[in-house]
Amino acid sequence: QVRLKESGPRLVQPSQTLSVTCTVSGFSVTSYHVSWVRQPPGKGLEWVGAIWKGGSTDYNSALKSRLSISRDTSKNQVFLKMNSLQTDDTGTYYCAKHETDYGYNDYFDYWGQGVMVTVSS
Amino acid sequence: EIVLTQSPTTTAASPGEKVTITCLASSSVSNMYWYQQKSGASPKLLIYSTSSLASGVPDRFSGSGSGTSYSLTINTMEAEDAATYYCQQWSSNPDTFGAGTKLELK
């Protein structure tokens, strides 16, 4: 059974660093890519970045300078770190498992429950 | 970056009514994906590869389209279909989502 679960702080102060962990089960992070997607309150979905099954990463260009995505393959975990947080970084952060279709397009077949992060002093 | 424009932004339908949501891409994409998000829940995959139903999705849902124009159709609206629907593409980097269509029960 595929499961993803995010964990991390609910409150982060402005200018500080957000660290969120995605613990997966039912698949290996060395066999499937994993992305982070965020959603501000009442707004739409924004792709944050991905770690490919080979270990390389891709980031949303608007966030790239503040982002780091890494993993621990022994624990089947993926990590998101975002620094210099501002109030507009407030939102729910999801990790999602990739699937790839016959046209080599990626999409998200399983999502975690998300962690709501508030950036506030 | 490919921009996905969904319409309508908000709509309401009565039980049994047919609903169509459109997603227009700023450049041609090879496939479109659709997600359903109910209030307080994570997004759930509905349609992949433009027209394939994800596991467990009722067959009143269908997807179609090509190039820059795609659509999601609910053949007969049910109360449980009230949700926000998002289209998504990754034919071209970066991955992008539409802004969402909120579907309410009339």
Side-chain angles (χ1 to χ4, degrees), chain A residues 22-111:
Chain A
C22 175
T23 302
V24 315
S25 58
F27 71 98
S28 170
V29 298
T30 60
S31 297
Y32 291 89
H33 319 315
V34 174
S35 270
W36 290 95
V37 176
R38 71 178 183 175
Q39 184 171 38
K43 296 193 176 180
L45 302 167
E46 179 185 34
W47 178 72
V48 172
I51 186 161
W52 308 110
K53 61 184 180 181
S56 60
T57 54
D58 257 322
Y59 300 129
N60 182 320
S61 59
L63 305 171
K64 189 173 184 175
S65 63
R66 302 193 288 130
L67 268 183
S68 173
I69 297 175
S70 59
R71 67 183 184 180
D72 183 334
T73 57
S74 67
K75 294 182 179 178
N76 230 11
Q77 291 178 321
V78 175
F79 309 107
L80 169 72
K81 284 192 193 318
M82 185 183 299
N83 59 33
S84 305
L85 254 60
Q86 300 302 319
T87 54
D88 60 2
D89 292 312
T90 292
T92 299
Y93 286 75
Y94 298 100
C95 56
K97 172 187 169 292
H98 285 226
E99 186 53 84
T100 305
D101 71 11
Y102 60 87
Y104 303 104
N105 294 318
D106 276 41
Y107 59 98
F108 309 113
D109 59 348
Y110 291 93
W111 296 66

Side-chain angles (χ1 to χ4, degrees), chain B residues 4-105:
Chain B
L4 301 179
T5 303
Q6 286 185 233
S7 61
T9 303
T10 306
T11 189
S14 302
E17 198 175 334
K18 184 175 182 177
V19 177
T20 299
I21 297 168
T22 298
C23 181
L24 296 180
S26 59
S27 297
S28 181
V29 299
S30 55
N31 270 310
M32 194 63 72
Y33 307 85
W34 293 91
Y35 301 86
Q36 177 193 64
Q37 186 177 33
K38 295 186 178 180
S39 181
S42 309
K44 169 190 166 186
L45 177 67
L46 268 187
I47 302 278
Y48 64 97
S49 304
T50 300
S51 58
S52 297
L53 256 59
S55 177
V57 174
D59 61 6
R60 63 180 179 273
F61 290 90
S62 64
S64 64
S66 64
T68 60
S69 182
Y70 293 83
S71 62
L72 170 71
T73 298
I74 306 173
N75 213 34
T76 49
M77 173 76 179
E78 295 198 7
E80 66 182 22
D81 300 335
T84 300
Y85 294 83
Y86 295 94
C87 56
Q88 176 246 332
Q89 71 79 32
W90 211 332
S91 291
S92 169
N93 279 329
D95 169 56
T96 51
F97 292 91
T101 294
K102 185 173 184 179
L103 172 61
E104 298 172 329
L105 181 66

